[in-house]
Amino acid sequence: MTNLTINGLRVSVETGSTVLEAARFLGFPIPTLCHLEGLSPYGACRLCVVEIGEGPRAKLVTSCTYRVEEGLKVRTASTRVVRARRMILELLLGTCPQAKKIQDLASAHGVRQQRFRQEHDDCILCGLCVRMCEEQMMARAIGFRGRGESRSIGTPFDMKSEVCRTCGGCQLVCPACQLRCTFVEKDAAVCGGCVNLQPPCLDRPKFDNMMCYMKPCVACEIEQDGR
Amino acid sequence: MNIQTIENIVNKHQQQQGSLIAILSEIQATYSYLPTDALQAVSKMTGKSLIDIYGVATFYKYFSLQPRGKHLCSVCVGTACHVRGGEVIAEEFEGQLGVAAGQTTPDREFTLGKVACLGACALGPVAVVDGHYFSSVKKTDVKKILERARDGLDKVEVKTDQRIFPIDVSCPRCNHSLMDASHLVDGHPSIKVTTSFERTHGWVRLSCLWGSYTVESQPEIPLDTVVHFFCPHCHAELVTATSCADCGAGMVPMIVRQGGVIQICSRRGCKGHMLDLV
């Protein structure tokens, strides 16, 4: 067992596990896009950044690839981490403005604007599909091609691969190709208003059919007061 | 594309770990690019997935998946060359050749490339054609450079070049001299050997000058043909176990009278050679 401090809480976790696994086991939420249990950690999306160390030596590392160390001091939601995450999400949004998962995460993390040009790349090069194809489906049909700006994921020569069984595993795990609901504002950069709303009257018998989505809801407040 | 050639290349590197780049590099040396079929063949022979091989081939700029021209032109548009008008030179090259950067002319003569730095910033703007550096290139120089490249930049002036000296060779088997004083090449006695390729037999007269690549042959040997060399006296094939470092073809040994062995590449047009002095 390895002893470390996560958000000021002294804990001991299994030696060799990653910071992400340890934090999630203890209930500290860390958002991820390129992490999936059963696939090797890759550290591509950078969303799982946490701050380790103290004072001027503190630095941001990706928790999905960082193994726990004895005496490690981890902060999963410090100001620096939250700001870094917001920036990463904003950049990811610029790459894939239409992806539901990224939109939802951006909305949940308080990204309220989009300062970058929208690229509509429909791929964040997280490599989830590549690892899925290689490690779980044992097919190795798709992979990274090219370098730098022209890096892309696909089959060799963009032809139908002989080893692909069209299992659909790549689509299943893809965080970018599930389109978001655009509702009425089709071109809005940041949508995702619905993620933050819960109908508060649902569990009250009197307002059963009136899902008002308002929070705080005046009717509920009145009823509560009258009780 | 010859499947046997690919197999030979793969087998040569089979034992080593991480030999993929070496294999691809040798295939490119043979065909001047990486043919699709060759990549598929390598994938089957090595057991590596095609996407891994394709990934490596597309990652490095050194590898090309399209056939390339005889002459490679690289024009520098890096910072130092850019401020001295590298872009203008690159545009002039594009205009003269009629192709955009990264493309090959339809007659397969030139492949044009823009590069970020050639490591000779003080000489900018720099262009490199077939390994020859041209410094402080002006717009008007471009046409001249291309003309010289067409003629062949590796041509040497036999009379003035200090690096050139005559050697005297003999057959490694019968030790009979291969020199032929009755036929001069470059003004010196030529080295006469008999040759055969694709069921055609003939002779080749090589220049005996070290550093000169002048060749006369009957019949004409097409470029890139691997030729078998024979001693005209004992009719033994001149062959060794070594292969050319540049193109992988077999080497042809000859004894140098001054002491040592010279090996030349058996591929027409390849300039690979080795001199072991004793």
Side-chain angles (χ1 to χ4, degrees), chain A residues 1 8 17 23 36 41 56 78 93 102 116 122 127 147 149 152 184 190 194 206 227:
Chain A
M1 300 297 265
S17 60
L36 192 70
S78 63
L93 258 189
I102 300 170
F116 305 109
D122 297 335
R147 175 174 46 143
E149 211 186 17
S152 66
V184 282
V190 184
C194 40
K206 200 180 167 190
R227 216 186 272 170

Side-chain angles (χ1 to χ4, degrees), chain A residues 140 142-147 154 156-157, chain B residues 36 39 49 51-52 54-55 58-59 61:
Chain A
R140 285 169 172 256
I142 52 171
F144 288 102
R145 309 163 308 173
R147 175 174 46 143
F157 306 105
Chain B
T36 311
L39 293 191
S49 66
I51 184 66
D52 286 355
Y54 185 78
T58 51
F59 184 89
K61 221 175 169 182

Side-chain angles (χ1 to χ4, degrees), chain A residues 14-203:
Chain A
E14 211 161 297
T15 310
S17 60
T18 62
V19 174
L20 178 71
E21 283 163 356
R24 284 209 170 150
F25 176 73
L26 294 163
F28 295 114
I30 295 177
T32 55
L33 274 178
C34 76
H35 178 84
L36 192 70
E37 245 172 75
L39 300 180
S40 57
Y42 196 59
C45 71
R46 317 306 288 178
L47 262 186
C48 64
V49 282
V50 293
E51 201 174 1
I52 58 163
E54 278 176 309
R57 304 196 59 181
K59 59 174 183 179
L60 295 177
V61 294
T62 47
S63 60
C64 68
T65 53
Y66 203 90
R67 305 246 171 239
V68 288
E69 290 164 3
E70 192 65 42
L72 191 72
K73 288 198 166 69
V74 183
R75 275 161 293 162
T76 65
S78 63
T79 322
R80 193 176 164 196
V81 168
V82 170
R83 280 175 63 186
R85 260 181 215 154
R86 269 190 202 146
M87 178 54 102
I88 293 162
L89 276 166
E90 210 178 323
L91 287 163
L92 285 174
L93 258 189
T95 331
C96 295
Q98 296 294 323
K100 181 182 184 300
K101 271 189 198 174
I102 300 170
Q103 282 281 356
D104 290 354
L105 273 173
S107 170
H109 283 80
V111 178
R112 295 282 174 264
Q113 56 176 344
Q114 231 289 35
R115 289 168 293 178
F116 305 109
R117 192 161 52 88
Q118 300 189 15
E119 301 270 5
H120 296 283
D121 278 346
D122 297 335
C123 179
I124 55 166
L125 298 171
C126 69
L128 256 186
C129 51
V130 177
R131 282 174 283 150
M132 186 73 174
C133 192
E134 181 182 330
E135 294 169 19
Q136 291 295 331
M137 298 307 168
M138 310 295 172
R140 285 169 172 256
I142 52 171
F144 288 102
R145 309 163 308 173
R147 175 174 46 143
E149 211 186 17
S150 60
R151 198 165 190 236
S152 66
I153 290 179
T155 55
F157 306 105
D158 273 326
M159 293 187 298
K160 196 193 172 302
S161 172
E162 285 171 16
V163 283
C164 175
R165 304 188 297 267
T166 55
C167 67
C170 43
Q171 281 175 17
L172 181 77
V173 294
C174 180
C177 57
Q178 188 186 2
L179 292 183
R180 67 173 168 135
C181 107
T182 45
F183 191 47
V184 282
E185 289 175 88
K186 277 213 158 49
D187 297 320
V190 184
C191 160
C194 40
V195 202
N196 291 340
L197 291 181
Q198 290 131 18
C201 320
L202 254 189
D203 46 356

